[in-house]
Amino acid sequence: LPACYANTVLLNVSNLSFRLQKLKEMFISKFGSAPKFYVRAPGRVNLIGEHIDYCGYAVLPMAIEQDILIAVEPVETQVVQLANTNSLYLDFSTSVNNIQINKTKPQWHNYFQCGMKGIQEHFGLNNPTGMNCLLDGTIPPSSGLSSSSALVCCAGLVTLRANGKTLSKVELAEICTKSERYIGTEGGGMDQSISFLAEEGTAKLIEFSPLRATDVRLPSGAAFVIANSCVEMNKAATSHYNIRVMECRLATKLLSKSKGLDWKKMVRLHDVQTKLGVSLEEMLTIVKEVLHPEPYSTEEICKCLGISLEELCSQILSQNTQDVSTFKLYQRATHVYSEAARVLEFKKICNEAPANAIQLLGELMNQSYISCREMYECSCPELDRLVDICLQFGAIGSRLTGAGWGGCTVSMVPTDKLNTFLKNVKKAYYQTDVQRLALENNCLFATKPGRGALVFVEA
């Protein structure tokens, strides 16, 4: 590949697949001309390592087949016109020089604008190229499979290509991580990183500061099955997610101060461990010694840190957590440090591949789920029931994946039990509910590690 395209994989698509051909025809019908290129960014499933990327810890996701696909035509006018193949998502247009992202209404076009704005600001583009864009998505929305981040990544790559700029995959992932925060979600970078750095056939251990990805070969005797609870949860539409981020940030501050560290400069739980130079197990002991299980009031937090309520709100809390009156610090820190250890153990087992690897990995997934449910409180009744059903019908391990409070589970199932498992889970969870029954074909599927973001050009 030419060096200038090192951030993408360019494919000759003169024989377009059915989906690309259909998208091209719809684009011509919509805009009166043909697209010049196409960009694809995949969704992802996180196998283990929930809610710890924004704390600085490694996670273990893989890309999935479902994706966001955008057909693009750069235009002379400095206007971006966005359309969607799904009629539920309305058309949108905006000046490339006046991007306004509405945090109170996280609609689909706002995520596109996040990616566009991130690239524009990185390069300081004074006269960005206008674009006509038609989007097609196969990732179920608000399902915990990263549809929003895939859209941000796709938009970033679209803007990069349209303006004739180049970046490495790592640079793109870091920019898109930061730019998604324009929507108000204090995310950590897992979703964007795997969207760009994924490779077919392997999961990835994603580490941060600096960002790097390491291959993790999954056991051949098991399949990973995604099951959608059919409960939608949009991270940017509620404060659930950001409250957890703030609880981890506050736990960082209190732990740091108790150990004589410069707590004002400490932001992530990983920073505390690094500064103290201790193991994850030792950090769990410190959490027990320093933090109490009862919720902390804002008054108690201010007293512990020696700051005013105004300083707490202006210097530490996010905009949509200003009115929260209590925070659970002990539980959140306990989850993060124990989950970080499970990620490393998961990778170790995959690398060493002992005879009972599948059993050991399943146990780690189950421990992760219990911690998410009990200590992080990011499950919901439907997810609880779905996990129970999956374990009942043969999954060795099952857990929620993504932010939680809805969305999907991921289960590890022996390959020789896969067909029976799918049949039984369909019957037990989807065919007992009219709304779920209508969606079952798109809600339950086995998946393999897929490839990362791509640019397609016709010959």
Side-chain angles (χ1 to χ4, degrees):
L1 294 177
C4 60
Y5 295 138
N7 62 300
T8 64
V9 177
L10 300 180
L11 300 180
N12 182 319
V13 287
S14 53
N15 296 318
L16 287 172
S17 69
F18 172 77
R19 187 170 165 220
L20 282 169
Q21 183 63 47
K22 184 179 177 183
L23 188 63
K24 180 179 180 179
E25 290 170 0
M26 290 183 70
F27 189 99
I28 293 171
S29 175
K30 180 74 179 177
F31 296 111
S33 52
K36 295 296 186 290
F37 64 92
Y38 308 81
V39 170
R40 172 193 179 270
R44 64 95 189 96
V45 59
N46 189 25
L47 301 180
I48 196 163
E50 223 59 75
H51 284 281
I52 64 173
D53 56 341
Y54 54 75
C55 296
Y57 283 106
V59 291
L60 213 156
M62 66 182 185
I64 58 176
E65 180 183 352
Q66 287 76 4
D67 61 22
I68 299 292
L69 183 63
I70 303 181
V72 188
E73 178 193 22
V75 294
E76 295 297 324
T77 59
Q78 289 188 303
V79 173
V80 172
Q81 294 192 80
L82 303 177
N84 199 305
T85 58
N86 187 333
S87 60
L88 293 176
Y89 301 105
L90 302 178
D91 290 2
F92 178 81
S93 65
T94 185
S95 165
V96 290
N97 292 311
N98 186 32
I99 298 174
Q100 302 290 327
I101 299 170
N102 189 338
K103 293 183 180 182
T104 62
K105 295 182 179 179
Q107 296 171 315
W108 76 279
H109 59 260
N110 284 321
Y111 290 99
F112 186 98
Q113 290 186 102
C114 284
M116 186 168 62
K117 183 177 179 180
I119 295 298
Q120 287 183 8
E121 290 192 346
H122 177 79
F123 287 101
L125 299 177
N126 294 320
N127 294 295
T129 302
M131 299 177 285
N132 291 335
C133 301
L134 179 62
L135 181 147
D136 182 61
T138 57
I139 309 169
S142 302
S143 62
L145 300 178
S146 195
S147 58
S148 57
S149 294
L151 177 50
V152 173
C153 292
C154 221
L157 194 48
V158 162
T159 308
L160 188 79
R161 169 82 179 181
N163 285 277
K165 302 294 183 180
T166 57
L167 289 168
S168 70
K169 292 179 181 181
V170 167
E171 288 172 318
L172 269 167
E174 291 177 332
I175 290 168
C176 288
T177 295
K178 292 175 184 174
S179 62
E180 188 165 338
R181 293 174 190 150
Y182 294 135
I183 203 82
T185 304
E186 299 285 336
M190 167 177 61
D191 302 349
Q192 300 83 0
S193 299
I194 192 64
S195 192
F196 284 114
L197 302 176
E199 294 179 73
E200 198 164 3
T202 180
K204 293 282 188 178
L205 180 78
I206 304 287
E207 299 172 274
F208 305 95
S209 302
L211 177 60
R212 55 202 182 278
T214 306
D215 289 357
V216 177
R217 294 289 172 182
L218 301 172
S220 57
F224 287 91
V225 178
I226 295 171
N228 194 339
S229 70
C230 302
V231 177
E232 291 192 2
M233 192 278 169
N234 187 310
K235 287 188 294 189
T238 71
S239 60
H240 295 324
Y241 185 89
N242 277 3
I243 288 173
R244 296 301 182 276
V245 178
M246 293 305 112
E247 286 173 322
C248 291
R249 186 176 297 176
L250 291 168
T252 298
K253 303 291 187 187
L254 267 64
L255 290 169
S256 299
K257 187 164 187 186
S258 75
K259 293 298 178 182
L261 302 175
D262 187 356
W263 65 268
K264 289 185 178 181
K265 293 183 178 179
M266 307 290 276
V267 179
R268 306 175 306 171
L269 287 166
H270 182 266
D271 300 337
V272 184
Q273 185 197 358
T274 301
K275 284 288 185 182
L276 294 178
V278 300
S279 67
L280 287 164
E281 290 73 19
E282 288 171 305
M283 281 308 309
L284 285 167
T285 301
I286 291 170
V287 169
K288 288 181 181 178
E289 292 171 352
V290 175
L291 302 176
H292 57 66
E294 298 77 27
Y296 284 76
S297 66
T298 51
E299 291 79 11
E300 184 180 3
I301 291 169
C302 290
K303 184 178 178 181
C304 289
L305 297 178
I307 59 175
S308 67
L309 183 59
E310 183 182 1
E311 288 173 313
L312 176 67
C313 291
S314 63
Q315 297 175 16
I316 299 177
L317 298 181
S318 65
Q319 188 176 350
N320 67 342
T321 59
Q322 304 276 316
D323 297 329
V324 179
S325 59
T326 60
F327 297 90
K328 293 185 179 181
L329 309 188
Y330 170 86
Q331 292 85 345
R332 311 318 183 214
T334 298
H335 167 76
V336 170
Y337 288 127
S338 61
E339 185 78 345
R342 283 187 284 271
V343 170
L344 298 180
E345 183 64 18
F346 195 101
K347 177 181 181 287
K348 182 171 180 264
I349 293 167
C350 287
N351 288 345
E352 295 177 355
N356 62 340
I358 293 173
Q359 191 66 42
L360 294 173
L361 296 176
E363 289 172 5
L364 287 172
M365 292 176 71
N366 293 334
Q367 290 168 17
S368 171
Y369 173 65
I370 292 168
S371 184
C372 284
R373 184 186 67 202
E374 303 295 333
M375 303 305 286
Y376 225 72
E377 298 178 278
C378 59
S379 189
C380 68
E382 293 84 357
L383 282 173
D384 294 342
R385 173 158 170 70
L386 189 50
V387 166
D388 286 344
I389 287 171
C390 290
L391 292 173
Q392 178 187 343
F393 290 115
I396 304 300
S398 186
R399 58 182 297 279
L400 65 83
T401 186
W405 300 286
C408 292
T409 63
V410 58
S411 301
M412 188 169 64
V413 182
T415 50
D416 59 350
K417 295 182 179 179
L418 181 59
N419 290 336
T420 304
F421 173 85
L422 294 172
K423 180 181 177 181
N424 286 332
V425 173
K426 276 187 180 181
K427 184 177 180 180
Y429 189 78
Y430 297 99
Q431 294 176 357
T432 57
D433 182 281
V434 175
Q435 286 182 311
R436 294 176 196 158
L437 182 61
L439 300 169
E440 69 170 293
N441 291 332
N442 298 317
C443 284
L444 182 67
F445 53 91
T447 188
K448 296 179 180 179
R451 63 174 61 186
L454 304 171
V455 172
F456 299 82
V457 290
E458 288 191 73

